[in-house]
Amino acid sequence: MAADGGPAQREGPDGAERRSTPLAFALLLVTYELFAWAGHRWVIVAGAAAPIWPAAGIAVAGLVLGGRRLAPAVLLGALAGGLLASVAQPWWIQLALAVGKTAGAWAAAALIERFAHRRFTELARVHDVLLLIAAAILSSAVSTAIGAGALLVTGRLAEVDLWRVATAWFFGDAVGILIITALILTNIPNPRAEKLFSGWRLANLTGALLAVAGLCALVFFSGPAARAWAIYPALGWVALAFRSRGAALGLLIVLVMASLGTMLGKGPFAFSQLDPGLLLLQQYLVVTAATTLLLAAAVDERNSESRLYRTVANELATRRELQRTTRLLTMIGDAAPIFIYAKDRDGRFIYANRELLEMYRRPLGEVIGRTDRDLIDSAESDTFIANDRRIMASGRSCELEEELTIDGEVRVFFSIKAPLRGDDGAITGIVGISTDVTDRRHQQQEVERLARRAEIAQRGARSSLYEYDVQTDRVSRDPVLAELCGILPHELGPAQAEWERHIHPHDLASFRSTLASALDRYERFALDYRVIGQGGRITWVQDSGTIVRDENGQAQQVIGLVTDITSQRNADEREQLLAREVDHRAKNLLAVVQSVVQLTRADDSEQLKAGITGRIQSLARAHSLLAESRWEGVELTALAREEVAPYAEESDGRITLQGPRLTLRPAAAQSIALVLHELATNAAKYGALSADSGRIDLSWCIEPDGGLLLVWQERGGPPGPEQPPSRSGFGSRLIKASVERQLRGTLAYDWAANGLTVTMTIAPEYVSLGERGDDLAAN
C-alpha cells in the first residue's frame, strides 16, 4: 500500500483503483457535516460527546473508499457541523475536537488499508469483520483521547465527568463505525456481489427487515421490562439469508429504533442524560453489531469454502472427462484412414495421427515440434506453409487440393483446414485433415463433364454447406456461413425466411423465383446474389444446389453450397476498368502517332521515314513500360534509359542520368518520352553527341510545390549558335507543346557556347515520388 500523500490514484482494499476527486471530496464534506449536525442535537457535554455518532462511520467509509487524501473533507465537515448546530464552544476547541475525529477516521482507514485483502468491502470473511471492529476501536480511542483530552485541558470538562464522557464518546463513535461503515461498504455498487434487490430475494429481504422492525418496536417502545435480546432471531435470519449486506440494513433499523425509543424514555435503556443506561445502550449496539456482522461473515465464508470445494470437485471431474475425451479422440484419429494434424502459428506440428506418422516413416517424437520444411521437399512444403498462413490470415476454414510426392509419385490430397483458436478466440494455429484423392480423381475423369455442377460445389465447399428441408421449411447450416457473410450467429436461425431477411432487396425476387423454378422442374440451380451483414457490409455469394426428389418426383430436400465471390466480382470490375483504360490510352496513342506523321517534315522520303520511325519507336517504348506497370505509371529512370539507349552504346558512357526514384503518371510518360527522344536525336545530329568529346547530363529533382524539374545539359560538343535559332522546327514545337500545354509546365533554352541546356518543369499532378535511388548512369 502506498503511504498517505502518495499518488491520487491507487488500489483500494477491494483491489479496485480509487481516485480522489473534487466530487468525492465535496460529497464526503457535506455528508459528514449533516450527520455531525444531527449528532450535536443529542449530546452529554455541549459540543462534545453524543450517545451515537453516525458521522464517524461516514468518515471511515469515505476514507476507505476514496483514500486518506480526503481527510481534510472530514475536518471541514466536523467544523461546519458544529457551526451549523451552534455549538457553544470557542473555535479553537471546535478545531481540536474536529482534529480528533479526523485523526480517528484517518487511523482506521490506514489500519484497513494495511491489513485488508481483496473484496474487503463485501465483509464476506470473518477476518474482514474483525478488521472493521479493530478499526472502530482504534478510531474511537484516538478520537476520544484527543477530544476529551482537549476539553479536560481547557477546563470545559471536569475531572469527575471525564470517565463518563470518554466512555460515551468511545462507544458512540464505535457504534457509528460498526453500523454505518458496514452499511456503506457492503452496499456500494459491486459487480462481483450477489444481486440482493431482485426477484424473490427482495421480497424475502423485505419480510426479514419488517420482522426486525416489528421486534424492535415491541422491545424499544415498551416498558423497561422488555428484553433487548428478543430481536436476535430476526437479525440472525437477515444475517444468515442475506449475508453482510442484509445484516447492515437490519442493524441500521435496530440503531434507529433503539435510539429513538430510548430518547422517548421507552424500552430497557430508558434514561435521563446522566443515567448510566446510555452506556448500556451503546454497549448493546456495539455487541449486537459485532455479533451480527461476524455471524454473516462466518456463514458467507463457510459458503465460499463449500463453493470452492464444489468448484475443485467439478474441475477434477472436468479434467478426468477431458482426459477420457482426449484418449477417445486419439483413438479415433489413429483409426482414421486419413491424415489428421494440428500446427501452431509457426507451422510446427503439435498433433499428428498414426496415418501421418506412417507416411513420414517417423515416430511421433520426430514429428512434433517440426515444420513441413523439416520433413518434406522444400517446394511442396513452401506450398503447405503458404496455404496455412493464408487460412490463418483469413480466419476462415478452407477446402483445397495439395500435392505431395510419396515414393516418387505425386499424390493429390483433398485438405480441409481451419484456424485453431484459443479460449480467448485468438488464432493460435491451424487444424486440418487431408484425404488422398488421387485414385478417386483418376476414376472420375470420365464423368467430369457430366458432374461439373458437383465439381463446382466441391471447389466451392471452401465456404458453407447447407441442407434445406422443403417440407418443413427448415434449413441446417454450418456455422461458417454467418462468419462468411458478417452475420451474428443468433441472427441466422433455422427458418428459410431468416436467411432471406439478409439477402439484398434488389436480389431477393430473383433468389425466390430461381429457387421456386428449380423446385418445380429442375435438378440443380446456381445464382449469384448479395448478402447484407453487420454494419451494411455487402458480400457477393454464389449459391449452387442440387434438388433431391422422392419416387413421385416431389422435391424433398436441397443440398447446396454458398462461395464468397466478392473478390472475384471486384477483380472482374477492375478488369473492365483496365480494359476501358487501355482502349482509351490506345486511342490517345494513335492520335499522337497521327499527329507525328502529319506534322513531320523532311527533305526526302528516307529522312521523313527516319523521323517518323524514331518518334513512333519512342512512343512504343513508353507504351511498353506503361503496359508492364498495368498503366499505373512509369519510373522516370527506366523511361530515360530507354530513350537514350539507341545512343548510349555509341556514346560510351557519356550520357548520365541522375535523380531520385519517382513515377510519371501515364498522361506524362508519353510526352516525356517524345521530349527526350527529340533532345537525344538533336544532340546526335548537331549537339554534344556529334563530337567525340561531348557528353550529356540529364538530372531531375522534386520542387517545393511537388512538381518535377528536369535539366538536359550538353557539354563538349561543337560550338553552338551565338543566339537562339530564329525559326523553330517540328522537334522544338513538339517539345514546347508537350511541356507547356500537355504537362502544364515551363520550358527554357540556354544556348551557351559550351553546349545547350534545356530546363523543364512539370506540374505536380503528373509526378509520384518513390524511394530515393542512387545516381544512375547509362552504359
Side-chain angles (χ1 to χ4, degrees), residues 8 18-27 66 70:
R18 304 177 307 178
R19 182 182 294 275
S20 299
T21 64
L23 179 60
F25 187 94
L27 180 63
L70 295 180

Side-chain angles (χ1 to χ4, degrees), residues 642-661:
E642 286 289 327
E643 294 304 326
V644 302
Y647 311 98
E649 183 175 353
E650 298 176 1
S651 62
D652 193 20
R654 290 183 291 145
I655 302 177
T656 61
L657 310 177
Q658 184 175 7
R661 295 184 65 83

Side-chain angles (χ1 to χ4, degrees), residues 14 23 34 123 137 163 314 318 346 358 408 410 414 435 460 479 527 531 584 596 736:
D14 59 344
L23 179 60
L34 293 177
L123 296 180
I137 294 173
W163 175 252
N314 292 337
T318 301
D346 297 324
E358 291 178 357
V410 177
F414 176 70
T435 306
L527 74 159
V531 177
H584 174 70
V596 168
K736 182 177 180 63

Side-chain angles (χ1 to χ4, degrees), residues 352-510:
N353 72 335
R354 182 175 301 169
E355 190 78 9
L356 187 64
L357 297 177
E358 291 178 357
M359 186 275 292
Y360 282 136
R361 296 186 177 89
R362 294 173 182 262
L364 183 64
E366 295 184 9
V367 174
I368 299 301
R370 296 194 177 187
T371 66
D372 290 308
R373 190 172 285 118
D374 300 327
L375 301 171
I376 58 177
D377 177 77
S378 60
E380 293 176 338
S381 66
D382 289 344
T383 301
F384 293 165
I385 293 172
N387 289 339
D388 294 348
R389 290 176 177 172
R390 176 169 54 84
I391 293 171
M392 286 189 289
S394 69
R396 296 193 295 266
S397 61
C398 179
E399 297 181 1
L400 67 161
E401 292 182 357
E402 297 174 317
E403 294 183 351
L404 179 63
T405 302
I406 302 176
D407 296 330
E409 180 185 2
V410 177
R411 308 290 294 179
V412 179
F413 288 85
F414 176 70
S415 299
I416 302 177
K417 298 183 178 181
L420 182 64
R421 299 181 182 271
D423 294 338
D424 59 353
I427 296 177
T428 60
I430 192 169
V431 62
I433 60 174
S434 299
T435 306
D436 190 341
V437 296
T438 307
D439 297 335
R440 189 188 311 168
R441 278 302 176 83
H442 293 162
Q443 296 170 1
Q444 291 179 348
Q445 285 179 353
E446 296 298 326
V447 294
E448 282 185 352
R449 184 180 65 85
L450 299 177
R452 186 178 178 200
R453 292 286 186 185
E455 283 188 18
I456 293 175
Q458 184 177 3
R459 290 195 299 269
R462 292 194 288 183
S463 45
S464 178
L465 175 69
Y466 69 89
E467 298 181 8
Y468 172 40
D469 191 318
V470 179
Q471 304 303 318
T472 63
D473 195 39
R474 308 293 281 181
V475 186
S476 174
R477 306 180 180 91
D478 64 46
V480 179
L481 182 60
E483 178 183 346
L484 180 71
C485 299
I487 301 172
L488 295 178
H490 69 272
E491 295 181 347
L492 196 58
Q496 175 73 352
E498 296 189 50
W499 171 246
E500 292 183 354
R501 186 162 56 88
H502 297 284
I503 297 177
H504 196 285
H506 293 170
D507 301 336
L508 183 57
S510 174

Side-chain angles (χ1 to χ4, degrees), residues 179 183 187 205 208-210 212-213 216 231 234-235 238-239 242-257 285 288-289 292-293:
I179 297 179
L183 180 69
N187 285 279
L205 174 63
L209 294 179
L210 288 175
V212 172
C216 286
I231 68 169
L235 274 180
V238 175
F242 302 101
R243 314 296 193 276
S244 298
R245 299 179 72 188
L249 291 171
L251 288 172
L252 178 64
I253 294 176
V254 174
L255 170 64
V256 173
M257 298 193 71
L285 291 175
T288 300
T292 304
L293 291 175

